[in-house]
Amino acid sequence: MNIEDLKPHAEDATKLLRSIAHPTRLLVLCALKDGPVSVGALQDTLGIDQVPLSQQLMKLRAEGIVEGQRRGNQIFYAIARPDILQIMQSLQEVVCGPAVAAQQKGQTHAA
Amino acid sequence: MNIEDLKPHAEDATKLLRSIAHPTRLLVLCALKDGPVSVGALQDTLGIDQVPLSQQLMKLRAEGIVEGQRRGNQIFYAIARPDILQIMQSLQEVVCGPAVAAQQKGQTHAA
DNA sequence: TATGAATATTCAAGTTTATGAATATAGAAG
DNA sequence: CTTCTATATTCATAAACTTGAATATTCATA
C-alpha cells in the first residue's frame, strides 16, 4: 500500500467502493460468490422485493461488477470481477469480526 | 463470507465503505498507515489544499476512522481502526493490480 | 396471438454528499 | 496582547444517491 501507487487510481478506487457500498448490493455480491443465481432466488434468499432488487442489480451491472445471462424465463447473475471478492472478504472480517471470518475458512481454533 | 453472517451487519458495512469512499480520504488513510502524520505533512505529501484536506479529516474523525492529537502547534492524525488497513490492502490489490501489491510485500517474482 | 411469470425501466420526490469561498479558532512566539 | 502559523468551521450551491410507485418488457406456453 503506497501513496504514489494509489494516487493515480484513487478515483477508480473510490468509484469501485461506491459501486458496492449499499446493503442490498453487498448482500447480492455475497450471494453470488459461489456462482450464478437467478433473480428470483436472490429475492427469496435475501428477502428483498423484486423492484428494489432489480434496481440494485442494474447498478452493479452498469458498473461491470456483475453480469446477467438469460436461461429461458429467468436471468442468472454472476460476478464479473472476481477480484472484488477479496474486498468483500476483508470487509466481512472487519464488520463481522475475525472469529466469524476465520470460521468461514475452517480455522475454528476455539479461543 | 456468508449471507446470514453479513445480513445483520450490512448497514454497518455500507457505512464503513462510504466513510472511506473518497479520493482524498483513501489517500489520507494510505499516508497514515505507518503512523501519525501532521496535517501540514499530509498537505505536502498529497498535494491537497488545507481546507479540503481538513474537511475530509473531519469526516474520517467523525466516523471514528482516524483520531487527531495535538503536539504544540500541529495536530498529528493517526488511524484509529487498524482493521480497515486490511480493506485498503485488498482495494489496492484490485485497483493497482496484483503486481504492484505483491511488490509491496517484497515478492518481486518477475513474470 | 393471448396470457402469465420473471425481470427491467422510468419518474419524481427526498436525502445525502461534495465543493468552493469565506472565515474562525487555537496555540506559539514575541 | 498582538501577530503568525497551523488547523477547523460554516455556509451555500450543486451533484449524486435512494426509494417508492407505476408500468414496461421479455420469454414461455398454450
Side-chain angles (χ1 to χ4, degrees), chain A residues 1-3 5 7 9 13-14 16-18 20-23 26-27 30-31 33 45 81 83 86-88 90-96 100 104, chain B residues 1-3 5 7 9 13-14 16-18 20-23 26 30-31 33 45 81 83 86-88 90-96 100 104:
Chain A
M1 197 165 29
N2 178 287
I3 293 184
D5 289 331
K7 251 183 197 173
H9 298 287
T14 298
L16 181 62
L17 285 179
R18 288 184 181 163
I20 70 175
H22 186 285
L26 284 177
L27 289 171
C30 192
K33 74 175 192 304
T45 304
R81 288 188 55 177
D83 51 358
Q86 200 175 347
I87 296 175
M88 291 290 298
S90 300
L91 184 62
Q92 165 139 337
E93 289 176 19
V94 170
V95 299
C96 301
V100 170
Q104 301 293 127
Chain B
M1 199 164 28
N2 178 287
I3 293 182
D5 289 332
K7 252 183 195 171
H9 299 288
T14 298
L16 181 62
L17 286 179
R18 288 185 179 165
I20 69 176
H22 186 284
L26 286 177
C30 192
K33 74 175 193 303
T45 304
R81 288 188 54 176
D83 51 359
Q86 201 175 346
I87 296 176
M88 291 291 297
S90 300
L91 183 63
Q92 165 138 337
E93 288 176 20
V94 170
V95 300
C96 301
V100 170
Q104 302 291 127

Short mmCIF file of all heavy atoms in Angstrom, two decimals, chain A residues 1-3 5 7 9 13-14 16-18 20-23 26-27 30-31 33 45 81 83 86-88 90-96 100 104, chain B residues 1-3 5 7 9 13-14 16-18 20-23 26 30-31 33 45 81 83 86-88 90-96 100 104:
data_model
loop_
_atom_site.label_atom_id
_atom_site.label_comp_id
_atom_site.label_asym_id
_atom_site.label_seq_id
_atom_site.Cartn_x
_atom_site.Cartn_y
_atom_site.Cartn_z
N MET A 1 0.84 -1.20 0.00
CA MET A 1 0.00 0.00 0.00
C MET A 1 0.87 1.24 0.00
O MET A 1 1.47 1.58 0.99
CB MET A 1 -0.88 -0.03 1.23
CG MET A 1 -2.05 0.90 1.13
SD MET A 1 -3.29 0.53 2.36
CE MET A 1 -2.30 -0.16 3.68
N ASN A 2 0.93 1.89 -1.14
CA ASN A 2 1.85 3.02 -1.29
C ASN A 2 1.12 4.21 -1.91
O ASN A 2 0.34 4.06 -2.84
CB ASN A 2 3.01 2.58 -2.20
CG ASN A 2 3.98 3.69 -2.45
OD1 ASN A 2 3.69 4.62 -3.19
ND2 ASN A 2 5.13 3.63 -1.82
N ILE A 3 1.41 5.37 -1.37
CA ILE A 3 0.71 6.57 -1.84
C ILE A 3 0.91 6.81 -3.33
O ILE A 3 -0.04 7.05 -4.06
CB ILE A 3 1.17 7.81 -1.06
CG1 ILE A 3 0.74 7.69 0.39
CG2 ILE A 3 0.57 9.06 -1.68
CD1 ILE A 3 1.07 8.89 1.21
N ASP A 5 1.61 4.78 -5.65
CA ASP A 5 0.90 3.79 -6.46
C ASP A 5 -0.61 4.07 -6.46
O ASP A 5 -1.29 3.88 -7.48
CB ASP A 5 1.14 2.37 -5.92
CG ASP A 5 2.57 1.92 -6.18
OD1 ASP A 5 3.16 2.38 -7.18
OD2 ASP A 5 3.09 1.11 -5.40
N LYS A 7 -2.22 6.97 -5.76
CA LYS A 7 -2.65 8.28 -6.27
C LYS A 7 -3.34 8.21 -7.63
O LYS A 7 -4.45 8.70 -7.77
CB LYS A 7 -1.45 9.23 -6.35
CG LYS A 7 -1.47 10.33 -5.29
CD LYS A 7 -0.27 11.25 -5.49
CE LYS A 7 -0.03 12.10 -4.23
NZ LYS A 7 1.22 12.88 -4.33
N HIS A 9 -4.84 5.97 -8.98
CA HIS A 9 -6.02 5.11 -9.02
C HIS A 9 -7.06 5.50 -7.99
O HIS A 9 -8.05 4.79 -7.79
CB HIS A 9 -5.60 3.66 -8.78
CG HIS A 9 -4.67 3.11 -9.82
ND1 HIS A 9 -5.09 2.80 -11.09
CD2 HIS A 9 -3.35 2.85 -9.78
CE1 HIS A 9 -4.05 2.35 -11.78
NE2 HIS A 9 -2.98 2.37 -11.02
N ALA A 13 -10.65 3.73 -7.40
CA ALA A 13 -10.89 3.01 -6.15
C ALA A 13 -12.15 3.54 -5.48
O ALA A 13 -12.97 2.77 -4.97
CB ALA A 13 -9.69 3.17 -5.22
N THR A 14 -12.31 4.85 -5.51
CA THR A 14 -13.50 5.47 -4.93
C THR A 14 -14.75 4.98 -5.65
O THR A 14 -15.75 4.61 -5.02
CB THR A 14 -13.40 7.00 -5.04
OG1 THR A 14 -12.27 7.44 -4.30
CG2 THR A 14 -14.65 7.66 -4.52
N LEU A 16 -15.15 2.29 -7.32
CA LEU A 16 -15.39 0.88 -7.02
C LEU A 16 -16.05 0.71 -5.66
O LEU A 16 -17.03 -0.02 -5.50
CB LEU A 16 -14.06 0.12 -7.06
CG LEU A 16 -14.14 -1.37 -6.78
CD1 LEU A 16 -14.99 -2.07 -7.82
CD2 LEU A 16 -12.75 -1.99 -6.73
N LEU A 17 -15.53 1.41 -4.67
CA LEU A 17 -16.10 1.30 -3.33
C LEU A 17 -17.56 1.74 -3.33
O LEU A 17 -18.42 1.09 -2.75
CB LEU A 17 -15.31 2.17 -2.34
CG LEU A 17 -13.94 1.65 -1.92
CD1 LEU A 17 -13.27 2.61 -0.98
CD2 LEU A 17 -14.08 0.28 -1.26
N ARG A 18 -17.82 2.85 -4.01
CA ARG A 18 -19.20 3.35 -4.02
C ARG A 18 -20.13 2.41 -4.77
O ARG A 18 -21.31 2.34 -4.44
CB ARG A 18 -19.24 4.74 -4.65
CG ARG A 18 -18.64 5.77 -3.72
CD ARG A 18 -18.76 7.18 -4.26
NE ARG A 18 -18.14 8.10 -3.31
CZ ARG A 18 -17.78 9.33 -3.59
NH1 ARG A 18 -17.97 9.81 -4.79
NH2 ARG A 18 -17.24 10.10 -2.67
N ILE A 20 -20.24 -0.68 -4.65
CA ILE A 20 -20.70 -1.79 -3.81
C ILE A 20 -21.25 -1.33 -2.46
O ILE A 20 -21.81 -2.12 -1.72
CB ILE A 20 -19.59 -2.83 -3.59
CG1 ILE A 20 -18.48 -2.27 -2.69
CG2 ILE A 20 -18.99 -3.30 -4.90
CD1 ILE A 20 -17.42 -3.30 -2.35
N ALA A 21 -21.12 -0.04 -2.17
CA ALA A 21 -21.49 0.47 -0.85
C ALA A 21 -23.00 0.67 -0.72
O ALA A 21 -23.51 1.78 -0.72
CB ALA A 21 -20.75 1.77 -0.55
N HIS A 22 -23.70 -0.44 -0.56
CA HIS A 22 -25.15 -0.42 -0.39
C HIS A 22 -25.53 -1.76 0.20
O HIS A 22 -25.03 -2.80 -0.26
CB HIS A 22 -25.83 -0.19 -1.74
CG HIS A 22 -27.30 -0.01 -1.64
ND1 HIS A 22 -28.17 -1.05 -1.40
CD2 HIS A 22 -28.06 1.11 -1.74
CE1 HIS A 22 -29.41 -0.57 -1.37
NE2 HIS A 22 -29.36 0.72 -1.57
N PRO A 23 -26.40 -1.76 1.19
CA PRO A 23 -26.72 -3.02 1.87
C PRO A 23 -27.17 -4.11 0.90
O PRO A 23 -26.64 -5.23 0.92
CB PRO A 23 -27.86 -2.62 2.82
CG PRO A 23 -27.67 -1.18 3.06
CD PRO A 23 -27.08 -0.61 1.81
N LEU A 26 -24.24 -5.31 -1.35
CA LEU A 26 -23.29 -6.16 -0.64
C LEU A 26 -23.85 -7.57 -0.49
O LEU A 26 -23.15 -8.57 -0.71
CB LEU A 26 -23.01 -5.58 0.76
CG LEU A 26 -22.10 -4.36 0.83
CD1 LEU A 26 -21.99 -3.87 2.26
CD2 LEU A 26 -20.72 -4.69 0.28
N LEU A 27 -25.11 -7.65 -0.12
CA LEU A 27 -25.71 -8.97 0.07
C LEU A 27 -25.79 -9.74 -1.23
O LEU A 27 -25.57 -10.95 -1.27
CB LEU A 27 -27.10 -8.81 0.71
CG LEU A 27 -27.07 -8.37 2.17
CD1 LEU A 27 -28.47 -8.03 2.67
CD2 LEU A 27 -26.45 -9.45 3.05
N CYS A 30 -22.43 -11.13 -2.01
CA CYS A 30 -22.17 -12.26 -1.12
C CYS A 30 -22.92 -13.49 -1.61
O CYS A 30 -22.38 -14.60 -1.62
CB CYS A 30 -22.60 -11.88 0.29
SG CYS A 30 -22.05 -13.01 1.56
N ALA A 31 -24.14 -13.28 -2.07
CA ALA A 31 -24.96 -14.40 -2.51
C ALA A 31 -24.45 -15.00 -3.82
O ALA A 31 -24.73 -16.16 -4.13
CB ALA A 31 -26.41 -13.95 -2.68
N LYS A 33 -21.26 -15.33 -4.61
CA LYS A 33 -19.85 -15.67 -4.51
C LYS A 33 -19.52 -17.08 -5.01
O LYS A 33 -18.41 -17.34 -5.43
CB LYS A 33 -19.35 -15.50 -3.08
CG LYS A 33 -19.83 -16.57 -2.12
CD LYS A 33 -19.20 -16.37 -0.75
CE LYS A 33 -19.42 -17.58 0.13
NZ LYS A 33 -20.83 -17.94 0.32
N THR A 45 -33.70 -15.58 -1.14
CA THR A 45 -32.58 -15.68 -0.19
C THR A 45 -32.41 -14.41 0.63
O THR A 45 -32.17 -14.47 1.84
CB THR A 45 -31.27 -15.95 -0.95
OG1 THR A 45 -31.42 -17.12 -1.75
CG2 THR A 45 -30.12 -16.13 0.03
N ARG A 81 -16.34 -9.57 -11.82
CA ARG A 81 -14.99 -9.18 -11.39
C ARG A 81 -14.65 -9.92 -10.11
O ARG A 81 -14.85 -9.40 -9.01
CB ARG A 81 -14.93 -7.67 -11.14
CG ARG A 81 -14.97 -6.87 -12.42
CD ARG A 81 -14.73 -5.42 -12.13
NE ARG A 81 -13.47 -5.21 -11.42
CZ ARG A 81 -12.99 -4.02 -11.11
NH1 ARG A 81 -13.69 -2.94 -11.44
NH2 ARG A 81 -11.87 -3.89 -10.46
N ASP A 83 -12.12 -10.32 -8.52
CA ASP A 83 -11.17 -9.68 -7.60
C ASP A 83 -11.86 -8.91 -6.48
O ASP A 83 -11.29 -8.69 -5.42
CB ASP A 83 -10.19 -8.78 -8.37
CG ASP A 83 -10.91 -7.82 -9.30
OD1 ASP A 83 -12.15 -7.88 -9.39
OD2 ASP A 83 -10.22 -7.01 -9.94
N GLN A 86 -12.23 -10.29 -2.85
CA GLN A 86 -11.18 -10.06 -1.88
C GLN A 86 -11.57 -8.90 -0.96
O GLN A 86 -11.35 -8.95 0.26
CB GLN A 86 -9.92 -9.71 -2.67
CG GLN A 86 -8.65 -9.88 -1.92
CD GLN A 86 -7.46 -9.62 -2.84
OE1 GLN A 86 -7.61 -9.54 -4.06
NE2 GLN A 86 -6.29 -9.48 -2.25
N ILE A 87 -12.13 -7.88 -1.56
CA ILE A 87 -12.57 -6.74 -0.75
C ILE A 87 -13.73 -7.16 0.15
O ILE A 87 -13.77 -6.80 1.33
CB ILE A 87 -12.99 -5.57 -1.67
CG1 ILE A 87 -11.78 -5.08 -2.47
CG2 ILE A 87 -13.59 -4.44 -0.86
CD1 ILE A 87 -12.10 -4.02 -3.48
N MET A 88 -14.64 -7.93 -0.42
CA MET A 88 -15.77 -8.43 0.38
C MET A 88 -15.26 -9.22 1.58
O MET A 88 -15.78 -9.08 2.69
CB MET A 88 -16.65 -9.33 -0.49
CG MET A 88 -17.40 -8.62 -1.59
SD MET A 88 -18.71 -7.56 -0.95
CE MET A 88 -19.76 -8.77 -0.15
N SER A 90 -12.34 -9.01 3.15
CA SER A 90 -11.77 -8.11 4.15
C SER A 90 -12.87 -7.37 4.89
O SER A 90 -12.82 -7.23 6.12
CB SER A 90 -10.86 -7.08 3.47
OG SER A 90 -9.82 -7.71 2.79
N LEU A 91 -13.83 -6.93 4.15
CA LEU A 91 -14.94 -6.19 4.75
C LEU A 91 -15.66 -7.04 5.79
O LEU A 91 -15.96 -6.60 6.90
CB LEU A 91 -15.91 -5.76 3.66
CG LEU A 91 -17.07 -4.88 4.11
CD1 LEU A 91 -16.57 -3.57 4.69
CD2 LEU A 91 -18.03 -4.63 2.96
N GLN A 92 -15.92 -8.27 5.41
CA GLN A 92 -16.62 -9.15 6.35
C GLN A 92 -15.79 -9.37 7.60
O GLN A 92 -16.33 -9.41 8.72
CB GLN A 92 -16.94 -10.49 5.67
CG GLN A 92 -17.33 -11.54 6.68
CD GLN A 92 -18.47 -12.39 6.22
OE1 GLN A 92 -19.27 -11.99 5.38
NE2 GLN A 92 -18.57 -13.58 6.74
N GLU A 93 -14.50 -9.53 7.43
CA GLU A 93 -13.65 -9.74 8.60
C GLU A 93 -13.71 -8.54 9.53
O GLU A 93 -13.67 -8.68 10.75
CB GLU A 93 -12.21 -10.03 8.17
CG GLU A 93 -12.08 -11.41 7.53
CD GLU A 93 -10.68 -11.68 6.99
OE1 GLU A 93 -9.73 -11.01 7.42
OE2 GLU A 93 -10.54 -12.59 6.15
N VAL A 94 -13.82 -7.36 8.93
CA VAL A 94 -13.87 -6.15 9.75
C VAL A 94 -15.21 -6.00 10.46
O VAL A 94 -15.26 -5.74 11.65
CB VAL A 94 -13.57 -4.91 8.89
CG1 VAL A 94 -13.86 -3.64 9.67
CG2 VAL A 94 -12.13 -4.93 8.42
N VAL A 95 -16.28 -6.17 9.72
CA VAL A 95 -17.58 -5.89 10.32
C VAL A 95 -18.19 -7.07 11.08
O VAL A 95 -19.00 -6.87 11.99
CB VAL A 95 -18.61 -5.39 9.28
CG1 VAL A 95 -18.13 -4.10 8.66
CG2 VAL A 95 -18.89 -6.45 8.25
N CYS A 96 -17.81 -8.29 10.70
CA CYS A 96 -18.37 -9.44 11.40
C CYS A 96 -17.42 -9.95 12.47
O CYS A 96 -17.78 -10.81 13.27
CB CYS A 96 -18.68 -10.58 10.44
SG CYS A 96 -19.85 -10.14 9.16
N VAL A 100 -15.80 -14.90 13.11
CA VAL A 100 -16.69 -15.38 12.05
C VAL A 100 -15.93 -15.64 10.77
O VAL A 100 -16.10 -16.65 10.11
CB VAL A 100 -17.83 -14.37 11.80
CG1 VAL A 100 -18.60 -14.75 10.57
CG2 VAL A 100 -18.74 -14.30 13.01
N GLN A 104 -15.28 -19.18 8.72
CA GLN A 104 -15.61 -19.39 7.31
C GLN A 104 -14.52 -20.17 6.61
O GLN A 104 -14.77 -20.96 5.71
CB GLN A 104 -15.76 -18.05 6.61
CG GLN A 104 -16.81 -17.15 7.17
CD GLN A 104 -18.21 -17.71 6.97
OE1 GLN A 104 -18.96 -17.82 7.90
NE2 GLN A 104 -18.52 -18.08 5.75
N MET B 1 -17.21 -15.77 4.05
CA MET B 1 -18.20 -14.79 3.59
C MET B 1 -19.56 -15.47 3.47
O MET B 1 -19.78 -16.27 2.57
CB MET B 1 -17.78 -14.26 2.23
CG MET B 1 -18.44 -12.97 1.89
SD MET B 1 -17.60 -12.15 0.55
CE MET B 1 -16.89 -13.50 -0.34
N ASN B 2 -20.44 -15.17 4.40
CA ASN B 2 -21.72 -15.87 4.45
C ASN B 2 -22.86 -14.87 4.56
O ASN B 2 -22.78 -13.89 5.30
CB ASN B 2 -21.69 -16.80 5.66
CG ASN B 2 -22.99 -17.54 5.81
OD1 ASN B 2 -23.98 -16.95 6.20
ND2 ASN B 2 -22.98 -18.81 5.51
N ILE B 3 -23.92 -15.14 3.82
CA ILE B 3 -25.04 -14.20 3.81
C ILE B 3 -25.63 -13.98 5.19
O ILE B 3 -25.87 -12.86 5.62
CB ILE B 3 -26.15 -14.69 2.86
CG1 ILE B 3 -25.64 -14.65 1.42
CG2 ILE B 3 -27.38 -13.81 2.99
CD1 ILE B 3 -26.67 -15.06 0.43
N ASP B 5 -24.32 -14.32 8.05
CA ASP B 5 -23.42 -13.55 8.92
C ASP B 5 -23.42 -12.08 8.52
O ASP B 5 -23.35 -11.19 9.37
CB ASP B 5 -21.99 -14.10 8.82
CG ASP B 5 -21.86 -15.46 9.49
OD1 ASP B 5 -22.63 -15.73 10.43
OD2 ASP B 5 -21.00 -16.25 9.07
N LYS B 7 -25.76 -10.35 6.77
CA LYS B 7 -27.05 -9.66 6.82
C LYS B 7 -27.16 -8.66 7.98
O LYS B 7 -27.48 -7.50 7.76
CB LYS B 7 -28.19 -10.68 6.91
CG LYS B 7 -28.99 -10.80 5.63
CD LYS B 7 -30.15 -11.79 5.83
CE LYS B 7 -30.74 -12.23 4.50
NZ LYS B 7 -31.71 -13.32 4.65
N HIS B 9 -25.04 -7.14 9.51
CA HIS B 9 -24.01 -6.10 9.50
C HIS B 9 -23.98 -5.31 8.19
O HIS B 9 -23.08 -4.50 7.98
CB HIS B 9 -22.64 -6.73 9.74
CG HIS B 9 -22.51 -7.43 11.06
ND1 HIS B 9 -22.44 -6.75 12.25
CD2 HIS B 9 -22.47 -8.74 11.37
CE1 HIS B 9 -22.34 -7.62 13.24
NE2 HIS B 9 -22.36 -8.83 12.74
N ALA B 13 -21.51 -2.24 7.34
CA ALA B 13 -20.51 -2.40 6.29
C ALA B 13 -20.64 -1.30 5.26
O ALA B 13 -19.64 -0.73 4.80
CB ALA B 13 -20.67 -3.78 5.63
N THR B 14 -21.88 -0.97 4.92
CA THR B 14 -22.14 0.09 3.96
C THR B 14 -21.60 1.43 4.48
O THR B 14 -20.93 2.17 3.77
CB THR B 14 -23.64 0.22 3.70
OG1 THR B 14 -24.11 -1.01 3.13
CG2 THR B 14 -23.94 1.35 2.76
N LEU B 16 -19.29 1.91 6.65
CA LEU B 16 -17.84 1.89 6.67
C LEU B 16 -17.26 2.17 5.29
O LEU B 16 -16.36 2.99 5.12
CB LEU B 16 -17.35 0.54 7.19
CG LEU B 16 -15.83 0.38 7.29
CD1 LEU B 16 -15.26 1.38 8.27
CD2 LEU B 16 -15.48 -1.04 7.71
N LEU B 17 -17.81 1.49 4.30
CA LEU B 17 -17.33 1.70 2.93
C LEU B 17 -17.49 3.15 2.51
O LEU B 17 -16.59 3.75 1.93
CB LEU B 17 -18.08 0.79 1.96
CG LEU B 17 -17.71 -0.69 1.98
CD1 LEU B 17 -18.56 -1.45 0.98
CD2 LEU B 17 -16.24 -0.87 1.68
N ARG B 18 -18.65 3.71 2.83
CA ARG B 18 -18.89 5.09 2.40
C ARG B 18 -17.99 6.08 3.13
O ARG B 18 -17.66 7.13 2.59
CB ARG B 18 -20.36 5.45 2.64
CG ARG B 18 -21.25 4.74 1.65
CD ARG B 18 -22.70 5.15 1.78
NE ARG B 18 -23.48 4.45 0.76
CZ ARG B 18 -24.79 4.36 0.76
NH1 ARG B 18 -25.49 4.92 1.74
NH2 ARG B 18 -25.43 3.72 -0.19
N ILE B 20 -14.97 5.78 3.80
CA ILE B 20 -13.64 5.87 3.19
C ILE B 20 -13.70 6.10 1.68
O ILE B 20 -12.68 6.34 1.04
CB ILE B 20 -12.79 4.62 3.48
CG1 ILE B 20 -13.32 3.40 2.75
CG2 ILE B 20 -12.74 4.34 4.98
CD1 ILE B 20 -12.45 2.16 2.92
N ALA B 21 -14.88 6.06 1.10
CA ALA B 21 -15.02 6.12 -0.36
C ALA B 21 -14.90 7.56 -0.87
O ALA B 21 -15.89 8.18 -1.27
CB ALA B 21 -16.34 5.50 -0.78
N HIS B 22 -13.71 8.05 -0.86
CA HIS B 22 -13.44 9.40 -1.36
C HIS B 22 -11.94 9.46 -1.66
O HIS B 22 -11.14 8.98 -0.86
CB HIS B 22 -13.81 10.44 -0.31
CG HIS B 22 -13.70 11.85 -0.79
ND1 HIS B 22 -12.49 12.51 -0.94
CD2 HIS B 22 -14.64 12.74 -1.16
CE1 HIS B 22 -12.72 13.74 -1.38
NE2 HIS B 22 -14.01 13.90 -1.53
N PRO B 23 -11.57 10.02 -2.80
CA PRO B 23 -10.16 10.02 -3.19
C PRO B 23 -9.24 10.56 -2.09
O PRO B 23 -8.24 9.93 -1.73
CB PRO B 23 -10.13 10.90 -4.43
CG PRO B 23 -11.50 10.83 -4.99
CD PRO B 23 -12.42 10.67 -3.82
N LEU B 26 -9.09 8.19 0.96
CA LEU B 26 -8.28 7.00 0.71
C LEU B 26 -6.80 7.33 0.80
O LEU B 26 -6.02 6.59 1.43
CB LEU B 26 -8.59 6.43 -0.68
CG LEU B 26 -9.92 5.69 -0.85
CD1 LEU B 26 -10.11 5.27 -2.29
CD2 LEU B 26 -9.97 4.48 0.07
N CYS B 30 -3.96 5.95 3.44
CA CYS B 30 -2.74 5.33 2.95
C CYS B 30 -1.52 6.03 3.56
O CYS B 30 -0.55 5.38 3.96
CB CYS B 30 -2.72 5.41 1.43
SG CYS B 30 -1.46 4.42 0.64
N ALA B 31 -1.61 7.33 3.65
CA ALA B 31 -0.47 8.11 4.18
C ALA B 31 -0.27 7.88 5.68
O ALA B 31 0.82 8.10 6.20
CB ALA B 31 -0.69 9.59 3.89
N LYS B 33 -0.69 5.00 7.20
CA LYS B 33 -0.59 3.56 7.51
C LYS B 33 0.60 3.21 8.41
O LYS B 33 0.56 2.21 9.12
CB LYS B 33 -0.54 2.75 6.22
CG LYS B 33 0.78 2.81 5.49
CD LYS B 33 0.76 1.88 4.30
CE LYS B 33 2.15 1.68 3.72
NZ LYS B 33 2.83 2.92 3.33
N THR B 45 2.50 15.94 1.22
CA THR B 45 2.61 14.62 0.61
C THR B 45 1.54 14.39 -0.45
O THR B 45 1.81 13.84 -1.51
CB THR B 45 2.46 13.52 1.69
OG1 THR B 45 3.43 13.74 2.71
CG2 THR B 45 2.66 12.14 1.09
N ARG B 81 -8.66 2.81 13.65
CA ARG B 81 -9.16 1.45 13.44
C ARG B 81 -8.24 0.71 12.49
O ARG B 81 -8.46 0.69 11.27
CB ARG B 81 -10.57 1.51 12.84
CG ARG B 81 -11.60 1.97 13.83
CD ARG B 81 -12.98 1.83 13.25
NE ARG B 81 -13.24 0.46 12.77
CZ ARG B 81 -14.41 0.08 12.28
NH1 ARG B 81 -15.40 0.94 12.20
NH2 ARG B 81 -14.58 -1.15 11.88
N ASP B 83 -7.98 -2.18 11.65
CA ASP B 83 -8.57 -3.24 10.83
C ASP B 83 -8.93 -2.78 9.43
O ASP B 83 -9.00 -3.57 8.50
CB ASP B 83 -9.77 -3.88 11.55
CG ASP B 83 -10.77 -2.84 12.02
OD1 ASP B 83 -10.52 -1.63 11.82
OD2 ASP B 83 -11.80 -3.24 12.58
N GLN B 86 -6.75 -3.52 6.28
CA GLN B 86 -6.94 -4.75 5.54
C GLN B 86 -7.78 -4.50 4.28
O GLN B 86 -7.50 -5.01 3.20
CB GLN B 86 -7.68 -5.72 6.45
CG GLN B 86 -7.57 -7.16 6.09
CD GLN B 86 -8.25 -8.03 7.14
OE1 GLN B 86 -8.57 -7.55 8.24
NE2 GLN B 86 -8.49 -9.28 6.81
N ILE B 87 -8.81 -3.67 4.46
CA ILE B 87 -9.65 -3.32 3.33
C ILE B 87 -8.84 -2.49 2.33
O ILE B 87 -8.91 -2.72 1.12
CB ILE B 87 -10.88 -2.53 3.80
CG1 ILE B 87 -11.74 -3.43 4.69
CG2 ILE B 87 -11.70 -2.04 2.61
CD1 ILE B 87 -12.93 -2.74 5.29
N MET B 88 -8.06 -1.56 2.86
CA MET B 88 -7.23 -0.74 1.99
C MET B 88 -6.29 -1.63 1.16
O MET B 88 -6.08 -1.39 -0.03
CB MET B 88 -6.39 0.22 2.83
CG MET B 88 -7.18 1.31 3.51
SD MET B 88 -7.83 2.50 2.34
CE MET B 88 -6.30 3.17 1.68
N SER B 90 -6.65 -4.80 0.27
CA SER B 90 -7.41 -5.50 -0.78
C SER B 90 -7.75 -4.55 -1.91
O SER B 90 -7.63 -4.88 -3.09
CB SER B 90 -8.70 -6.08 -0.20
OG SER B 90 -8.42 -6.99 0.83
N LEU B 91 -8.17 -3.37 -1.52
CA LEU B 91 -8.56 -2.38 -2.52
C LEU B 91 -7.39 -2.05 -3.43
O LEU B 91 -7.52 -2.00 -4.65
CB LEU B 91 -9.04 -1.11 -1.81
CG LEU B 91 -9.56 -0.01 -2.71
CD1 LEU B 91 -10.78 -0.47 -3.48
CD2 LEU B 91 -9.87 1.23 -1.90
N GLN B 92 -6.24 -1.86 -2.83
CA GLN B 92 -5.07 -1.53 -3.63
C GLN B 92 -4.73 -2.67 -4.59
O GLN B 92 -4.35 -2.45 -5.74
CB GLN B 92 -3.88 -1.23 -2.73
CG GLN B 92 -2.58 -1.24 -3.50
CD GLN B 92 -1.65 -0.12 -3.11
OE1 GLN B 92 -2.07 0.91 -2.60
NE2 GLN B 92 -0.38 -0.33 -3.34
N GLU B 93 -4.85 -3.89 -4.10
CA GLU B 93 -4.54 -5.03 -4.97
C GLU B 93 -5.48 -5.07 -6.16
O GLU B 93 -5.10 -5.44 -7.26
CB GLU B 93 -4.61 -6.33 -4.17
CG GLU B 93 -3.44 -6.47 -3.20
CD GLU B 93 -3.53 -7.72 -2.33
OE1 GLU B 93 -4.25 -8.66 -2.70
OE2 GLU B 93 -2.88 -7.74 -1.26
N VAL B 94 -6.73 -4.65 -5.92
CA VAL B 94 -7.70 -4.68 -7.00
C VAL B 94 -7.47 -3.56 -8.00
O VAL B 94 -7.44 -3.78 -9.21
CB VAL B 94 -9.14 -4.59 -6.43
CG1 VAL B 94 -10.14 -4.37 -7.55
CG2 VAL B 94 -9.47 -5.87 -5.67
N VAL B 95 -7.27 -2.35 -7.50
CA VAL B 95 -7.18 -1.22 -8.42
C VAL B 95 -5.79 -0.98 -8.98
O VAL B 95 -5.65 -0.41 -10.07
CB VAL B 95 -7.71 0.09 -7.79
CG1 VAL B 95 -9.16 -0.05 -7.40
CG2 VAL B 95 -6.86 0.51 -6.62
N CYS B 96 -4.76 -1.39 -8.24
CA CYS B 96 -3.40 -1.17 -8.74
C CYS B 96 -2.85 -2.41 -9.43
O CYS B 96 -1.79 -2.36 -10.04
CB CYS B 96 -2.45 -0.76 -7.62
SG CYS B 96 -2.95 0.73 -6.76
N VAL B 100 1.74 -4.72 -8.44
CA VAL B 100 2.14 -3.66 -7.53
C VAL B 100 1.98 -4.10 -6.09
O VAL B 100 2.85 -3.90 -5.25
CB VAL B 100 1.31 -2.39 -7.79
CG1 VAL B 100 1.56 -1.37 -6.69
CG2 VAL B 100 1.65 -1.80 -9.14
N GLN B 104 4.86 -4.65 -3.15
CA GLN B 104 4.82 -4.00 -1.84
C GLN B 104 5.23 -4.96 -0.74
O GLN B 104 5.81 -4.59 0.25
CB GLN B 104 3.40 -3.51 -1.54
CG GLN B 104 2.83 -2.55 -2.53
CD GLN B 104 3.53 -1.22 -2.48
OE1 GLN B 104 3.98 -0.75 -3.50
NE2 GLN B 104 3.66 -0.64 -1.31
#
